[in-house]
Each structure stands twice: as structure tokens, then as C-alpha cells.
């Protein structure tokens, strides 16, 4: 895991090809940089003679996965900075600019593909910046960029408040806030980006690094950048912290709900009943359907959670109506639930396979989920290659009238999101023994099905394997504006370009160094 916070510069045993820059990076330059920081600098690809003392190379996989994982494309940055404080981040950005190194930020790791490890670039790890300040009177919080969802929940639920963080507690707040956010309670409170009031960033768009400062951007200060950061942020600037709008939990702090289970062959009928019920369901109820394998065999499930701060009678009646309809369509189990907010996050984490695990994902945003698609998805899951595979069908926010899809770069609030997601256990035998090709082929088959209906991808789950991968994460109008924001606020190409994508040897779309 991460080394202790002492100023350190560790050389790996192998030094690879150099980095083209106006002033070539070498061990002397990098060592001086490392000594100027409070945190730790790890070199992986520095153009210089090997150091006299060869220390073991730091395991970057520990910052991504237990790996190897075919979904994560591993590549080596020139330098990996483990920041201890905000000054480390600012100075690292300046160093990158002065040495023509493209830069990426590693927060708590929500972007699962590994794009934070730019080949020959500089990665800044902010995962140790986890300070949280909560103001219960204004129902707001400030969190630093390395804060995870479970850390935020622990700080705010004591005030009976919440923020739409990711469903798994280890997911970082920054990744959800900058990627759009399919967050908890989204049916009532909208996408996670809709509960971000401001972002502290470094003003890297200024031509002279000496002028760089920390700026709070919001709807009135640098509004174009704020718009772009809320959905496309990692490609535009470096977020240091977030001012968040919190929301009230039910008065007793308990999230009630129900999970209903059908045998998989009744999956189409179950979805039809669920979709009909959803048309008039209160927005206080967040819902989702999953095809999964349980001790009962392959099943279709629908889970409902009540986020209503007032526990209104109409919400309770809607849950009762759903339970009645489920029984009429052949449900084999109806399981009520009651969780604190922390327990709610933990319940999702508990559903993930334990032990070394690999996975692959195909996802799409959909404007609707027609019956023919559901039939295909049920048929696909009947032939799932792993008992740990899941297929998720998640409706968009029903509070979309509060925020429009043009209000932020993230523009799929009202869309369904479908994920074909095989997990499989990793053994010592490797990819051939573990059946990687078979599992990936199953996910690809799901992708072919979704291609017939899909609108776009969720950026935090995108594989980035084609030149238009990033473009597919945004509606056309949002994509056009995002390109304008990129040109305005990253004019020197300090951060990864909009057209980056994965290749067998790392990432493409990275032509040209930063040009400070």
C-alpha cells in the first residue's frame, strides 16, 4: 500500500524510454522536485541513467485493483505523486507544465479503466486529502478531493443529512461529482452534479505558472468551466475540493424499502409490471432492476428505497401497490428492508464478490427500455458465463424538471442506464484458466444488443477503446460546448485530450506534449 508521508523519491529497477519535452526530465530534476514536496514522488519512466541503489518499484495496481483485470489498461506514468497537501498538488501541476508532462488526477479511483495513469505523464494522487467540514445549519459540506462516499456519509448522517454519492462506499466523491453521478437518492435529488455548489480548482488556464492560484468556481465565477467540470471535469482542470449541497434523510434516519424477486423466466413480465408502476411512482422512491444469480438460482429483482424526508402516506401506499403487483406476476420473495445510510452503502458493497476479482462492463444510456430489449437481456443473462455476473437496468432521475440536461456537461439525467457486468473470480492460473475471453465475449454480446437501442455511455464506466469514446458520453450539444470549454480552459494541453482512448500499449489520443 502507500508509503508513509515522508519526502521520498524511490527509483524503480527499470528506467524506460524518455519523455519528449522542452527540458528533458532526468533524475536530478525529478529528485529536486520530490524534495520540494511534503508527499512522496514515485518515478517509473524517467530519462536518465539508473540510480546507484535500485529499490523495488511501487505497485501501482494497489491503487486500482487487485488485478490483473482486463478492464483496466495498465500503463506507466513518468512520475506518480502521492500528495500530502494542497501545495503538493499545485507544485506538481507547475512541475508538469514546466517539463511538458501531461497530467492526470487519481482521487479515490472511481474511473475504473485506469486513465489516471497517463503514459509518460504525471499522475497526482489526492487520496490522502480527505478533510470534511459540515455546516448542518445551511445543509452544506466541503470535502477535499480524496474523500470517499463512506467517509462523507459518516460525517453527515449524524446530522440526518445525505449527499448523492455512489452506491458503493469506497467510490470517491470527486469521481461521482465530476463524472455526472448515478448516485444514491437520485430519483429525488437528481444527478450528483446537481448537488455541487462550487469546486476549488487550480487556475492552470493562465499562461504563466507564477500566476496560478486556487479559485472557487461556481455558477457565477468561471461558469463555463463549472459547467464543464460537472460531467467532464478530469479533462479540464484539477479539483482540490467541493462545496456540496446536502439533503435531509427521513426524520428517523432510516431508509425503508423492499426487494422483490422473480425467477428469471418471468423477467420480462416483472419488468413490464415494474415499468408500468414506475410511471406514477413518487420521485421519493429510488428503484432499479437487476438480473443476478442467488441461492434461488438466476433471478430478476427490483429494489425500492424510500428517500422521503417526511415518510408521506402516498409513498408508503406506492410501495404496497408494487408489492401487490409483484405477487400477481409470480414473485417468489418479497423482502422488506430498513437501513441507516451507512448500512445502505454497506449493503451494496456486500453484494460484490469477495477475493481477487476481474470484471468487464458494457453500458448504455437509453431513452426507453422496449419489451424486445428486455427479452434480449433476459435471454442474455440466462447464458451468463459467471454466477457473479449482474445486469442492471436503472431508470434516470424523475426530478429532471429541476435541472435540464443542458445545465451541466453531464446530460443524461432522464435516461435509463443499462450495465452488462460480468464479474469472475481470479485464480493463480491466469486469464486462460479463469475464462477471461469467454466472460468478455458475453459482455460484448450484451454490448451488441445495447447498440441497437443505446444513446451513450456513462463516462465513469467507459472503456475508452475507440477514438470517439469520450464523445459518446455526452449528448451532441453538450459535446460541442465541452470542446469549446476545453479549448478555453486547457489551452496548453496540460490534461488528457478529449479524444484519448486505450490501445494495446497504453493510451492513444495523447499526441503532442503540453506546450507551456
Amino acid at each position: 500500500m502507500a508509503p508513509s508521508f515522508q519526502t521520498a523519491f524511490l527509483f524503480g529497477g527499470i528506467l524506460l524510454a524518455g519523455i519528449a519535452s522542452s527540458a528533458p526530465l532526468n533524475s536530478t530534476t525529478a529528485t529536486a522536485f520530490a524534495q520540494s514536496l511534503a508527499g512522496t514522488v514515485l518515478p517509473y519512466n524517467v530519462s536518465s541513467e539508473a540510480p546507484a541503489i535500485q529499490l523495488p518499484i511501487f505497485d501501482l495496481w494497489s491503487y486500482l485493483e487487485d488485478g490483473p483485470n482486463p478492464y483496466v489498461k495498465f500503463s506507466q506514468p513518468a512520475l506518480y505523486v502521492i500528495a500530502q497537501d494542497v501545495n503538493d498538488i499545485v507544485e506538481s501541476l507547475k512541475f508538469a507544465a514546466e517539463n511538458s508532462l501531461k497530467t492526470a488526477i487519481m482521487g479515490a479511483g472511481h474511473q475504473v479503466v485506469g486513465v489516471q495513469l497517463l503514459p509518460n505523464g504525471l499522475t497526482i494522487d489526492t487520496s490522502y486529502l480527505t478533510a470534511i467540514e459540515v455546516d448542518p445549519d445551511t445543509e452544506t459540506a466541503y470535502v477535499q478531493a480524496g474523500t470517499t462516499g463512506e467517509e462523507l456519509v459518516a460525517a453527515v448522517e449524524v446530522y440526518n443529512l445525505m449527499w448523492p454519492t455512489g452506491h458503493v462506499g469506497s467510490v470517491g466523491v470527486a469521481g461521482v461529482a465530476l463524472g455526472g453521478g448515478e448516485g444514491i437518492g437520485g430519483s429525488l435529488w437528481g444527478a450528483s452534479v446537481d448537488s455541487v455548489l462550487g469546486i476549488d480548482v487550480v487556475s492552470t488556464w493562465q499562461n504563466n505558472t507564477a500566476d496560478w492560484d486556487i479559485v472557487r468556481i461556481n455558477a457565477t465565477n468561471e461558469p463555463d468551466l463549472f459547467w464543464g467540470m460537472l460531467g467532464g471535469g478530469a479533462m479540464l482542470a484539477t479539483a482540490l475540493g467541493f462545496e456540496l449541497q446536502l439533503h435531509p434523510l427521513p426524520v428517523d434516519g432510516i431508509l425503508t424499502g423492499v426487494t422483490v424477486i422473480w425467477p428469471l423466466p418471468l423477467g420480462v413480465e416483472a419488468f413490464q409490471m415494474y415499468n408500468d408502476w414506475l410511471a406514477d411512482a413518487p420521485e421519493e422512491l429510488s428503484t432499479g432492476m437487476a438480473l443476478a444469480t442467488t441461492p434461488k438460482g438466476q433471478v430478476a429483482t427490483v429494489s425500492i428505497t424510500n428517500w422521503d424526508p417526511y415518510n408521506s402516506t402516498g409513498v408508503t401506499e406506492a410501495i404496497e401497490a408494487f408489492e401487490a403487483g409483484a405477487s400477481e406476476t409470480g414473485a417468489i420473495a418479497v423482502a422488506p428492508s430498513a437501513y441507516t445510510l451507512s448500512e445502505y452503502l454497506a449493503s451494496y458493497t456486500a453484494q460484490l464478490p469477495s477475493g481477487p476479482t476481474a470484471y468487464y462492463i458494457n453500458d448504455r444510456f437509453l431513452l426507453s427500455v422496449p419489451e424486445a430489449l428486455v427479452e434480449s437481456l433476459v435471454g442474455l443473462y440466462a447464458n451468463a458465463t459467471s454466477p457473479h455476473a449482474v445486469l442492471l437496468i436503472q431508470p434516470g432521475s424523475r426530478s429532471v424538471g429541476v435541472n435540464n440536461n443542458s445545465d451541466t456537461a453531464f446530460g443524461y439525467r432522464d435516461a435509463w442506464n443499462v450495465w452488462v457486468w460480468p464479474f469472475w473470480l481470479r485464480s493463480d492460473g491466469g486469464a486462460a484458466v479463469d475464462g477471461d475471453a469467454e466472460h468478455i465475449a458475453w459482455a460484448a454480446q450484451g454490448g451488441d444488443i445495447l447498440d441497437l437501442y443505446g444513446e451513450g455511455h456513462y463516462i465513469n464506466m467507459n472503456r475508452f477503446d475507440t477514438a470517439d469514446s469520450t464523445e459518446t458520453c455526452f449528448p451532441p450539444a453538450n459535446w460541442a460546448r465541452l470542446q469549446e470549454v476545453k479549448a478555453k480552459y486547457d489551452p496548453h494541453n496540460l490534461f488528457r485530450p478529449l479524444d484519448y482512448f486505450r490501445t494495446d500499449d497504453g493510451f492513444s489520443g495523447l499526441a503532442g506534449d503540453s506546450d507551456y
Side-chain angles (χ1 to χ4, degrees):
M1 294 304 294
S4 60
F5 275 137
Q6 56 185 354
T7 300
F9 187 70
L10 308 179
F11 281 93
I14 301 175
L15 300 181
L16 304 177
I19 303 161
S21 67
S22 55
L25 185 65
N26 56 54
S27 60
T28 300
T29 304
T31 299
F33 165 59
Q35 292 173 344
S36 71
L37 303 183
T40 302
V41 179
L42 307 169
Y44 289 90
N45 190 359
V46 179
S47 176
S48 178
E49 66 281 358
I53 299 176
Q54 301 271 337
L55 296 176
I57 197 162
F58 182 70
D59 181 14
L60 286 175
W61 278 109
S62 67
Y63 275 76
L64 293 172
E65 301 288 332
D66 290 331
N69 191 325
Y71 198 70
V72 179
K73 183 68 70 174
F74 181 74
S75 59
Q76 286 187 322
L79 298 172
Y80 189 101
V81 177
I82 304 175
Q84 184 179 9
D85 53 32
V86 168
N87 181 69
D88 282 354
I89 299 174
V90 176
E91 292 305 313
S92 295
L93 291 169
K94 291 181 178 180
F95 180 84
E98 291 161 0
N99 288 275
S100 298
L101 300 175
K102 280 192 169 59
T103 306
I105 305 300
M106 180 75 166
H110 187 33
Q111 215 303 324
V112 294
V113 179
V115 294
Q116 306 94 330
L117 304 178
L118 291 179
N120 302 330
L122 187 145
T123 296
I124 305 173
D125 186 327
T126 67
S127 61
Y128 285 86
L129 278 70
T130 58
I132 303 172
E133 298 177 3
V134 181
D135 186 340
D137 294 328
T138 60
E139 297 187 346
T140 59
Y142 182 84
V143 302
Q144 286 188 303
T147 305
T148 65
E150 59 194 357
E151 290 169 336
L152 176 59
V153 162
V156 302
E157 72 175 333
V158 296
Y159 302 107
N160 213 45
L161 296 170
M162 61 81 67
W163 186 79
T165 190
H167 289 75
V168 176
S170 60
V171 167
V173 171
V176 179
L178 299 178
E182 300 285 309
I184 60 176
S187 61
L188 178 59
W189 304 117
S192 302
V193 294
D194 297 330
S195 293
V196 177
L197 300 175
I199 309 173
D200 285 349
V201 302
V202 182
S203 59
T204 48
W205 57 89
Q206 300 186 71
N207 288 325
N208 191 334
T209 58
D211 296 330
W212 289 4
D213 201 356
I214 299 171
V215 178
R216 173 72 57 88
I217 63 171
N218 51 38
T220 58
N221 187 39
E222 305 293 351
D224 287 340
L225 179 58
F226 185 60
W227 177 93
M229 293 286 284
L230 298 177
M235 300 171 287
L236 303 174
T238 296
L240 305 175
F242 301 83
E243 182 185 6
L244 306 176
Q245 179 65 63
L246 306 177
H247 304 289
L249 288 166
V251 290
D252 57 2
I254 300 298
L255 300 169
T256 57
V258 65
T259 297
V260 179
I261 301 175
W262 293 261
L264 184 65
L266 293 179
V268 175
E269 290 84 350
F271 180 82
Q272 289 173 334
M273 189 281 295
Y274 162 57
N275 197 25
D276 290 344
W277 170 86
L278 193 62
D280 297 315
E283 63 184 17
E284 290 85 355
L285 297 178
S286 65
T287 68
M289 186 174 192
L291 308 183
T293 302
T294 72
K296 297 180 181 292
Q298 290 185 325
V299 299
T301 73
V302 170
S303 296
I304 300 174
T305 303
N306 178 14
W307 295 91
D308 181 13
Y310 311 106
N311 287 319
S312 306
T313 301
V315 172
T316 303
E317 292 175 346
I319 295 176
E320 293 173 348
F322 183 82
E323 292 174 347
S327 297
E328 293 173 0
T329 52
I332 56 177
V334 177
S337 60
Y339 296 116
T340 65
L341 188 57
S342 293
E343 292 169 344
Y344 181 75
L345 289 191
S347 72
Y348 275 87
T349 303
Q351 297 175 40
L352 299 175
S354 59
T357 306
Y359 61 86
Y360 208 77
I361 303 173
N362 253 314
D363 85 295
R364 296 294 188 282
F365 284 115
L366 310 171
L367 297 184
S368 65
V369 182
E371 182 178 336
L373 172 57
V374 180
E375 290 175 350
S376 296
L377 295 176
V378 170
L380 175 72
Y381 195 82
N383 295 299
T385 54
S386 169
H388 303 291
V390 292
L391 198 158
L392 304 176
I393 306 175
Q394 179 79 31
S397 169
R398 297 194 299 284
S399 61
V400 68
V402 178
N403 293 88
N404 297 314
N405 285 327
S406 61
D407 288 347
T408 61
F410 175 74
Y412 285 113
R413 288 169 178 78
D414 53 348
W416 292 78
N417 195 200
V418 179
W419 294 359
V420 178
W421 201 347
F423 290 87
W424 61 99
L425 299 181
R426 183 59 82 202
S427 73
D428 293 336
V433 172
D434 297 340
D436 284 25
E438 181 183 11
H439 300 305
I440 293 171
W442 183 77
Q445 184 180 355
D448 291 340
I449 293 171
L450 294 175
D451 277 342
L452 301 175
Y453 304 91
E455 292 292 319
H457 294 274
Y458 182 35
I459 196 167
N460 282 333
M461 294 297 176
N462 198 339
R463 293 197 309 276
F464 297 106
D465 52 4
T466 62
D468 64 347
S469 289
T470 308
E471 181 178 357
T472 65
C473 298
F474 302 93
N478 293 34
W479 173 245
R481 184 178 176 186
L482 185 62
Q483 293 179 85
E484 296 173 356
V485 174
K486 174 73 170 178
K488 179 179 179 181
Y489 286 98
D490 189 23
H492 303 292
N493 302 309
L494 181 60
F495 304 103
R496 66 179 188 258
L498 298 184
D499 65 347
Y500 72 101
F501 65 99
R502 306 191 307 169
T503 63
D504 289 340
D505 58 353
F507 288 87
S508 189
L510 293 168
D513 299 303
S514 60
D515 56 8
Y516 282 94

